[in-house]
Amino acid sequence: MATAESVAPHLDRLGEIFRSRAHLLAPPARAESVSQWAERNRILPKGRTHRPGPWLTESYQREIMDCILDPAVRRITLRKSTQVGGSEVMNNVIGYFIDADPKPIMLVQPTSETAKDYSNERIAPLIEHSPALRSKVRTATSRRAGNTVRLKRFPGGYLKITGANSGAGLRSHPIAVLLLDEVEAYPLDVNKEGDPVEIAERRTETFDDAKIFLASTPARPRGLSRIDAEYDASSQGLFHLPCPFCGFEQPLWWRDPDSDPEHPVYRLVFERDGQGAVIPESVRYLCTQCGQGIDEKHKARMLAAGRWIHRRPERTAHRGFHLNALYSPWKPIWAELAERWVAAKDNPEKLRAFVTLSLAETWDAAAQNPVEAPVLRSRAKEEKYPAQVPRGGCVLVAAADVQHNRIEVQVKAFGPGEESWLVDYQVFWGNPGIEVDPATQVNVWEQLDHYLLREWEHECGLRLRPAIVLIDSGAHADSVYDFVLPRQFSLRRIYACKGVDHLSRPGLVQESSTRKANIRLWLVDTYAAKDRIFARLNIPKPGPGYIHLPDWVTDDYLQQLTSERKITVRDKRTRTPRSIYVQTYARNEALDLEVYCHAGLWLLQNLLAPALYRDLGALAEHIQQGRNPATLVPAPARRVRTPGNPLGSMPR
């Protein structure tokens, strides 16, 4: 029987073995933070950043990156503006966990298309220009699949890049580090399976130490914003800078959040010249404590001495950060922001973009009262066009709405800044589903065709035809397709369209397909278009975006144009709040036609003829000189036929 004395030497030897092998069982050493890793390993290539070369961490970026390694922190929220480097913070987190602490990582972008683009434009350069990553991320070979656009494998883990609109992509792998980028653009429901954020978060349940990082610029209205709700539930960090004159620490606000909303106090002040332009040298930030105006030249020193102060520091598990464009360190930006503000403050559509993109604040849609028909009537009484198309109009867009017993059609003129004028509105009575309506003895499609072939007189003397026509195919779709088929590929650009609440990717219009061959069908994002229209109807005076209504417009037309209101409802299945438009008047054809006219202009400017219609200012100047719009873009060179080349060749 073994005694204690005989066993002791063996236990001592076993202890030595365990001590010598203990490093194999220990968790990976974290000798450096994420920011230190980035400073040691990342190289920013030329052409992709304001400051190419070795990565330099801005003072406000350091805590955002480094807190992900804090064992007490499980969730991080970054509510950010543009121009503060938020995406690069997320890229550094990816690089760190690939190199220093390998784990399964998932990066979620709004759509599968944006995920692919982000992988090619951001992740690929991150790996290519960081030797530590390039040596670890596997490359695909004929015998071993590895580095693909959406899946990057490395020893100890992988990086999966997917879209929030892909239920399969969100479900497929267990994840230790979940990065949710631009969450405001995520769908509320993916494939009728629920909230994409919740689906993705379930992938982290396997790991007790999982990390979830959400970042976004606000995009949805107040009360519906996901990033707003996440930030409110977090520690609510604000980056405080010391005043160079009195030393008082304060966050940078565009307007003081504690001031009266009816009489806001703006922290950034400036002067304007006789033409109303901002004088850059006059831009100052007013210190909350001493009231001294701070020039932007002090900002670099202030940023270096800044620190995060959290309103709710007890929320250790959920760290939250808010950054607006006033903090942007790479170039003087305060004067530029002041110019944007001056251009946007009287235009609700531009003001919303300024508040969300530059200030990283949610837009209060409830504060913008919807315009009423009587207001538009009083405005229209003052509008008498000197010609069918006023001098500012440079492109005509037409839209037709097909009903069971009529076709309603509208023609609008658009000018610089997308200022617009209602040129004509007509109703053609008859059944669009049959060739000749026995009740009216007319073919409404022939009437529509003759109408669209007419010309409208411009104030400069030219005569213009619609550059594009969109016809709603919601009713009598086959008749619509028969009408547009021989006309859609000509210069008349007559197309079928269909309204949907939302599109699957950003933009006002996207192409779809039909069961009938060769028909080009355009889907129109009606919610986005209505947001645009109602914002522009609230613009108080002529200028960019203003919608002119002539004195001949009827009260019924104005009631139809303002016939819908946006309300907030809670989805019965997902229980998430969402906005919907509801009809408040018996008819809404005028609003539908306004939607399709704006969609037609967007199509011309972005997909069909951007060279001619993207710059409406240049086109308007061209027309006002009495020149044909088509001559603004040089015609393609004609092929020169020779005996040896019957198909022709391009001249030198």
Side-chain angles (χ1 to χ4, degrees):
M1 183 175 180
T3 63
E5 290 78 7
S6 62
V7 172
H10 300 286
L11 291 177
D12 291 340
R13 177 57 180 160
L14 190 60
E16 291 178 5
I17 294 174
F18 270 106
R19 285 190 292 274
S20 66
R21 302 292 190 271
H23 68 281
L24 299 177
L25 304 176
R30 289 174 179 165
E32 59 183 359
S33 62
V34 175
S35 59
Q36 291 170 338
W37 177 90
E39 290 163 352
R40 186 169 61 86
N41 291 284
R42 279 206 68 184
I43 303 295
L44 302 179
K46 291 183 179 180
R48 295 181 178 270
T49 177
H50 294 290
R51 193 171 54 198
W55 169 268
L56 297 175
T57 303
E58 298 299 332
S59 55
Y60 61 75
Q61 293 174 327
R62 192 172 300 278
E63 184 177 327
I64 302 173
M65 289 187 285
D66 293 349
C67 73
I68 201 168
L69 301 184
D70 186 339
V73 175
R74 174 173 173 79
R75 198 177 191 89
I76 301 168
T77 294
L78 173 59
R79 186 174 68 182
K80 62 184 177 68
S81 71
T82 57
Q83 301 175 305
V84 293
S87 296
E88 292 302 337
V89 165
M90 203 167 268
N91 290 342
N92 288 339
V93 170
I94 291 172
Y96 175 89
F97 281 109
I98 291 176
D99 181 37
D101 189 6
K103 292 180 178 181
I105 310 166
M106 183 159 73
L107 171 64
V108 182
Q109 291 290 320
T111 68
S112 298
E113 291 80 6
T114 55
K116 180 179 178 181
D117 292 342
Y118 196 94
S119 178
N120 289 328
E121 297 171 9
R122 296 295 190 93
I123 300 301
L126 166 70
I127 296 170
E128 179 184 356
H129 295 277
S130 301
L133 303 181
R134 193 168 62 243
S135 64
K136 293 190 175 183
V137 176
R138 296 178 181 177
T139 56
T141 66
S142 59
R143 295 188 178 183
R144 181 189 66 189
N147 186 343
T148 65
V149 172
R150 292 191 175 91
L151 186 64
K152 314 289 185 183
R153 297 186 183 277
F154 49 86
Y158 51 81
L159 169 63
K160 182 177 178 59
I161 308 167
T162 189
N165 63 342
S166 171
L170 296 173
R171 291 191 311 268
S172 55
H173 295 78
I175 298 299
V177 180
L178 176 61
L179 308 173
L180 303 163
D181 194 19
E182 294 301 341
V183 295
E184 290 285 85
Y186 289 9
L188 297 177
D189 188 9
V190 53
N191 301 336
K192 297 184 178 180
E193 298 177 23
D195 180 10
V197 172
E198 292 183 4
I199 295 173
E201 287 183 2
R202 293 191 204 113
R203 301 298 94 207
T204 66
E205 293 174 355
T206 306
F207 296 88
D208 293 335
D209 59 346
K211 306 290 184 177
I212 300 172
F213 189 164
L214 305 94
S216 188
T217 300
R220 293 175 180 160
R222 191 165 301 167
L224 300 176
S225 169
R226 187 193 302 272
I227 199 67
D228 225 30
E230 289 285 349
Y231 180 78
D232 289 345
S234 74
S235 61
Q236 300 179 17
L238 295 169
F239 198 67
H240 287 59
L241 308 183
C243 171
F245 302 106
C246 69
F248 180 73
E249 290 184 314
Q250 60 201 298
L252 297 182
W253 293 112
W254 184 263
R255 54 181 175 270
D256 196 324
D258 297 326
S259 62
D260 183 357
E262 297 295 328
H263 305 283
V265 176
Y266 293 96
R267 307 309 320 171
L268 197 75
V269 297
F270 50 87
E271 298 175 6
R272 297 162 69 178
D273 60 22
Q275 286 72 42
V278 173
I279 302 174
E281 298 79 14
S282 70
V283 180
R284 296 287 188 278
Y285 188 89
L286 296 182
C287 174
T288 306
Q289 182 74 11
C290 68
Q292 184 78 17
I294 304 170
D295 189 277
E296 193 171 9
K297 67 182 180 182
H298 298 291
K299 186 171 69 173
R301 186 158 52 91
M302 294 165 63
L303 284 170
R307 65 187 180 110
W308 285 99
I309 297 179
H310 295 263
R311 289 175 172 176
R312 303 296 300 271
E314 70 278 7
R315 297 175 178 173
T316 54
H318 189 174
R319 202 74 62 87
F321 305 89
H322 172 88
L323 281 170
N324 61 46
L326 288 167
Y327 291 95
S328 182
W330 295 289
K331 65 175 183 177
I333 197 174
W334 289 358
E336 181 182 329
L337 291 174
E339 291 169 356
R340 291 186 207 167
W341 165 256
V342 169
K345 63 186 182 65
D346 294 325
N347 186 322
E349 192 175 8
K350 290 185 178 180
L351 184 58
R352 175 175 182 168
F354 179 83
V355 168
T356 57
L357 298 178
S358 298
L359 304 186
E361 298 174 8
T362 49
W363 174 253
D364 189 358
Q368 180 184 316
N369 296 321
V371 67
E372 300 290 345
V375 175
L376 297 181
R377 165 53 63 199
S378 61
R379 186 187 300 177
K381 288 179 180 179
E382 309 298 325
E383 290 275 358
K384 295 181 184 292
Y385 302 164
Q388 290 175 308
V389 183
R391 187 171 184 82
C394 59
V395 56
L396 295 185
V397 176
D401 187 35
V402 181
Q403 300 292 326
H404 71 282
N405 64 345
R406 68 191 183 278
I407 298 177
E408 301 196 21
V409 60
Q410 171 175 294
V411 178
K412 282 183 69 74
F414 287 89
E418 297 187 18
E419 189 173 1
S420 64
W421 294 260
L422 178 61
V423 172
D424 199 18
Y425 189 95
Q426 296 288 335
V427 179
F428 299 109
W429 293 96
N431 186 345
I434 57 179
E435 186 173 349
V436 177
D437 189 336
T440 61
Q441 294 300 309
V442 298
N443 184 321
V444 288
W445 293 108
E446 288 184 358
Q447 288 186 316
L448 177 64
D449 195 33
H450 290 313
Y451 176 80
L452 296 175
L453 285 170
R454 65 173 287 191
E455 296 177 332
W456 279 266
E457 181 184 0
H458 192 278
E459 188 178 343
C460 72
L462 287 177
R463 302 186 69 84
L464 302 178
R465 286 180 179 174
I468 187 172
V469 182
L470 292 185
I471 302 178
D472 181 16
S473 63
H476 300 291
D478 288 337
S479 297
V480 173
Y481 298 155
D482 290 340
F483 180 78
V484 303
L485 182 58
R487 297 170 178 86
Q488 61 184 353
F489 296 108
S490 67
L491 291 178
R492 296 179 67 183
R493 299 192 187 96
I494 299 179
Y495 300 105
C497 71
K498 184 179 180 181
V500 295
D501 290 347
H502 301 286
L503 296 177
S504 60
R505 56 178 181 265
L508 208 59
V509 185
Q510 73 181 41
E511 191 163 9
S512 184
S513 59
T514 67
R515 289 175 295 180
K516 196 162 186 176
N518 300 322
I519 295 294
R520 297 193 75 178
L521 176 66
W522 300 101
L523 298 181
V524 178
D525 189 327
T526 59
Y527 274 39
K530 289 171 185 176
D531 287 346
R532 175 176 298 190
I533 290 164
F534 288 131
R536 294 183 178 187
L537 286 173
N538 272 289
I539 298 175
K541 58 185 179 181
Y546 186 85
I547 297 177
H548 294 263
L549 296 165
D551 59 350
W552 51 259
V553 74
T554 66
D555 289 340
D556 183 60
Y557 177 92
L558 297 177
Q559 291 285 359
Q560 292 184 42
L561 187 61
T562 58
S563 63
E564 295 190 13
R565 294 288 182 270
K566 181 181 276 191
I567 64 171
T568 301
V569 298
R570 189 169 292 277
D571 189 277
K572 293 181 180 179
R573 191 169 58 82
T574 65
R575 306 305 301 162
T576 55
R578 60 188 179 94
S579 293
I580 63 170
Y581 274 101
V582 295
Q583 195 168 325
T584 59
Y585 188 66
R587 295 174 54 195
N588 64 348
E589 290 88 346
L591 178 57
D592 288 342
L593 291 173
E594 190 75 16
V595 165
Y596 296 140
C597 282
H598 280 80
L601 177 67
W602 191 94
L603 259 177
L604 288 175
Q605 292 183 314
N606 294 275
L607 298 179
L608 298 179
L612 180 57
Y613 296 106
R614 181 69 62 83
D615 187 351
L616 294 183
L619 182 59
E621 182 179 351
H622 193 75
I623 288 178
Q624 288 165 11
Q625 294 172 358
R627 292 186 286 178
N628 189 306
T631 62
L632 186 62
V633 179
R638 298 181 62 185
R639 291 184 178 273
V640 179
R641 295 190 179 186
T642 62
N645 186 3
L647 296 179
S649 59
M650 298 300 292
R652 294 181 180 273

